[in-house]
């Protein structure tokens, strides 16, 4: 039950405030998938260019995750959270003014740095600020704001882009900069980080050595495999969903409509994962939800009928995003406070390399005429590798205080 958590107005406010920043992050990335589909038509982009545009965003996210994680352990969670929010908002707004493909790629790289940095810092901040017995569930609920952000992105894209063009979508994406002003006065650093201020901080090299030291090495390897395989498959599949629907014979507007329906399935995926994560543990949620994600990816790639595509896509969203919630809950629980944000940031950053390769490879494969079913079979295999790593070598962290129980 979450009754104790929801009775604490301070913690409830933290979840909602951090969740809204998470929503804006998801909205930005979600709109990009729809904007790319529209740009491919208006700028006559080939599949290779589409792959580069989505990949460059993920390159920025990889850089941002590593930098923000390291800086959050040095300067605090709050200040880095605000900085990343402002950075991606401004870069997204300026993307509306892009007059060339190259300039748009530069702006999307900068936006990616902010987007990639915000997520691990926000999850670390919330994870450190809530009771241990409710920590997993709260983080999955934080992640559910991602689905809300994608839903907002899908609604904006469905109603705005066909009517007013893709530039307006980027303008809307600049709105979070105003939210950062509000957040500056309404969010606090985590108690664990503030308590640690009395002790000498580890340097960056020391923190990197720490997460690769003997007690944490296995957990770090499992996390890096997990993040890489999940992010590779997620961005490869979901950033291409509108375009894949077009390739399967649907109009651009119809593909937006179908992706909107699929996005709705993400919310119950999060809420069921939030229930199971404290009942049955982190490994249960990750293994079961990822295994079912892999099966649905294979199904989606093979689907031919309208009904089959919709159902496979909806279930793919349901299980994949539930697994993401479990992954964000699991990752901060494997490291103590002095190196937590660095460990989370580096695992996330390594995962973003998968986010670079996934969309890029899809673009390359599509341009070479490789069938969609083969592409989605690759994602099926990738996810299974992540499942195996967690199942056999992953450590269960339910109810564990990483500051008291070292690996």
């Amino acid at each position: 039950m979450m009754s104790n958590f929801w009775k604490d107005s301070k913690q409830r406010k933290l979840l909602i405030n951090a969740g809204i920043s998470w929503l804006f992050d998801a909205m930005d990335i979600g709109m990009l998938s729809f904007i790319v589909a529209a740009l491919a038509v208006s700028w006559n982009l080939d599949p290779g260019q589409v792959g580069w545009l989505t990949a460059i965003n993920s390159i920025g996210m990889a850089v941002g995750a590593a930098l923000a994680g390291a800086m959050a352990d040095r300067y605090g969670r709050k200040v880095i959270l605000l900085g990343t929010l402002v950075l991606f908002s401004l870069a997204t707004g300026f993307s509306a003014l892009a007059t060339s493909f190259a300039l748009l790629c530069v702006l999307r790289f900068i936006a990616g740095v902010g987007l990639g940095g915000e997520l691990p810092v926000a999850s670390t901040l919330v994870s450190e600020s809530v009771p241990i017995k409710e920590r997993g569930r709260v983080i999955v609920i934080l992640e559910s704001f991602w689905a809300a952000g994608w839903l907002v992105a899908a609604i904006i894209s469905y109603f705005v882009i066909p009517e007013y063009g893709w530039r307006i979508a980027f303008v809307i994406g600049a709105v979070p900069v105003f939210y950062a002003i509000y957040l500056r006065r309404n969010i606090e650093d985590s108690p664990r980080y503030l308590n640690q201020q009395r002790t000498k901080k580890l340097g960056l090299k020391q923190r990197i050595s720490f997460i690769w030291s003997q007690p944490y090495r296995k957990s770090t390897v499992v996390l890096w495999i997990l993040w890489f395989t999940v992010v590779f498959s997620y961005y490869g599949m979901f950033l291409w969903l509108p375009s894949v629907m077009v390739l399967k014979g649907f109009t651009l507007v119809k593909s937006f409509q179908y992706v909107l329906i699929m996005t709705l399935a993400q919310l119950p995926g999060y809420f069921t994962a939030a229930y199971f994560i404290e009942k049955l543990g982190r490994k249960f949620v990750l293994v079961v939800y990822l295994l079912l994600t892999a099966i649905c990816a294979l199904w989606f790639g093979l689907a031919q009928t309208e009904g089959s595509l919709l159902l496979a896509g909806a279930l793919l969203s349901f299980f994949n995003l539930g697994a993401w919630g479990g992954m964000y809950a699991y990752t901060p629980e494997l490291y103590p406070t002095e190196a937590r944000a660095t460990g989370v940031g580096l695992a996330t950053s390594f995962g973003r390399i998968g986010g670079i390769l996934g969309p890029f490879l899809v673009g390359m494969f599509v341009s070479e005429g490789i069938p969609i079913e083969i592409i989605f079979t690759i994602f099926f295999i990738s996810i299974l590798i992540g499942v195996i790593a967690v199942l056999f070598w992953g450590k269960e962290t339910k109810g564990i205080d990483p500051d008291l129980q070292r690996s």
Side-chain angles (χ1 to χ4, degrees), residues 46-81:
D46 60 48
Q49 288 177 302
V50 171
W52 267 113
L53 186 56
T54 51
I56 201 75
N57 197 73
S58 291
I59 293 171
M61 292 182 77
V63 173
L67 285 177
M71 292 172 71
D73 274 335
R74 179 68 181 86
Y75 300 105
R77 285 55 166 141
K78 175 183 173 179
V79 67
I80 303 304
L81 174 64

Side-chain angles (χ1 to χ4, degrees), residues 25 46 53 60 99 101 108 117 122 127 141 201 219 231 236 239 254 263-264 274 293 301 317 324 353 397 402:
D25 202 314
D46 60 48
L53 186 56
T99 53
F101 178 74
R108 290 317 303 172
S127 182
I141 291 175
K201 294 179 182 177
S219 292
V231 180
L239 282 183
K254 196 73 171 175
T263 303
L264 287 169
T293 297
S317 290
W324 269 90
I353 297 173
T397 56

Side-chain angles (χ1 to χ4, degrees), residues 39 113 130 166 180 244 283 338 389:
L39 267 174
V113 171
V130 300
W166 56 269
V244 167
K283 287 182 68 172
E338 62 261 38

